[in-house]
Amino acid sequence: MFTGIVQGIGTVTAVDNPSPDFCTLTVELPEHLADNLQTGASVANNGCCLTITEIDGRRVRFDLMAETLKKTNLGELEVGSPVNIERAARIGDEIGGHLMSGHISAVTRITRIEESEFNKTVWFALPSELKPYILTKGFVGLDGCSLTIGEVSESEFNVHLIPETLRMTLFGNKQAGGRVNIEIDPQTQAVVDTVERVLANR
């Protein structure tokens, strides 16, 4: 499990055996995230839970299967690409965001960005299959960041980003057109799906 609080930005140093069905990704982690790593541990890369297969100092390797490449933006990564990193939460850790599984629901595009002196509002296309779960003031995971949803329209939704989020995550450099991983809040999904089943059975 993860909290959606990005702990640092890693850098892709190698993409081996790239194909639509499989590739191996090597990511160099920030120094403070490389301590006490173990093969088999889970690390969120842009919000996607990946398993460490090999460790070489601060460089760690992950195998990406066809489903991961199909359902996330990780297949677009190249050598030099930055990646939002969060190590798995431990029992007793402070949950500063919201509980996230690291299972990506969909990928969407940034449609527009509005900026002021201290804030940035980022708008995203709203995938039709996720409409029931994207609710104003609800939670959403975007490239591994736990964020509060702002406005929701028929085709878009937005989030408002403070300077700290822009400094600590990839959102400081995101541009319109960029593709972003979405993980919907599992509690919201459970409530919405349960209500829909109850109403359908009446």
Side-chain angles (χ1 to χ4, degrees):
M1 298 297 289
F2 303 92
T3 69
I5 303 300
V6 172
Q7 298 166 322
I9 296 177
T11 303
V12 176
T13 60
V15 181
D16 297 318
N17 308 309
S19 77
D21 296 325
F22 180 85
C23 79
T24 297
L25 196 68
T26 303
V27 179
E28 183 170 331
L29 303 180
E31 187 170 353
H32 69 286
L33 295 180
D35 291 338
N36 300 315
L37 285 172
Q38 294 182 347
T39 301
S42 296
V43 177
N45 290 252
N46 283 355
C48 180
C49 178
L50 299 178
T51 300
I52 297 175
T53 60
E54 188 177 333
I55 302 170
D56 180 12
R58 290 167 50 196
R59 296 188 176 191
V60 295
R61 291 165 67 89
F62 307 95
D63 289 337
L64 278 61
M65 306 301 288
E67 186 71 3
T68 302
L69 296 170
K70 177 183 176 183
K71 293 291 182 66
T72 77
N73 62 13
L74 298 184
E76 302 170 13
L77 297 176
E78 303 173 339
V79 172
S81 294
V83 185
N84 283 338
I85 298 292
E86 182 189 352
R87 291 182 58 172
R90 296 172 295 184
I91 294 174
D93 283 351
E94 179 179 349
I95 307 299
H98 72 282
L99 286 176
M100 294 168 57
S101 66
H103 300 159
I104 302 305
S105 309
V107 177
T108 192
R109 289 192 179 275
I110 296 172
T111 56
R112 52 196 168 108
I113 297 174
E114 300 169 354
E115 296 189 62
S116 62
E117 184 178 0
F118 296 110
N119 297 283
K120 179 181 285 190
T121 297
V122 183
W123 288 85
F124 303 87
L126 178 54
S128 58
E129 69 273 20
L130 300 186
K131 278 186 178 182
Y133 315 115
I134 302 295
L135 307 172
T136 299
K137 302 307 178 187
F139 292 114
V140 68
L142 297 170
D143 267 359
C145 302
S146 171
L147 296 167
T148 302
I149 299 165
E151 299 175 55
V152 182
S153 71
E154 282 298 310
S155 61
E156 294 178 301
F157 70 97
N158 72 22
V159 295
H160 305 291
L161 304 177
I162 62 173
E164 181 68 5
T165 301
L166 299 175
R167 183 180 72 85
M168 287 296 295
T169 76
L170 299 182
F171 279 105
N173 294 310
K174 288 284 189 182
Q175 302 293 324
R179 283 163 44 90
V180 177
N181 292 330
I182 300 180
E183 179 183 341
I184 57 173
D185 176 35
Q187 292 182 328
T188 300
Q189 182 179 19
V191 170
V192 170
D193 288 351
T194 299
V195 170
E196 287 184 346
R197 281 198 301 270
V198 170
L199 293 177
N201 292 328
R202 284 188 171 182

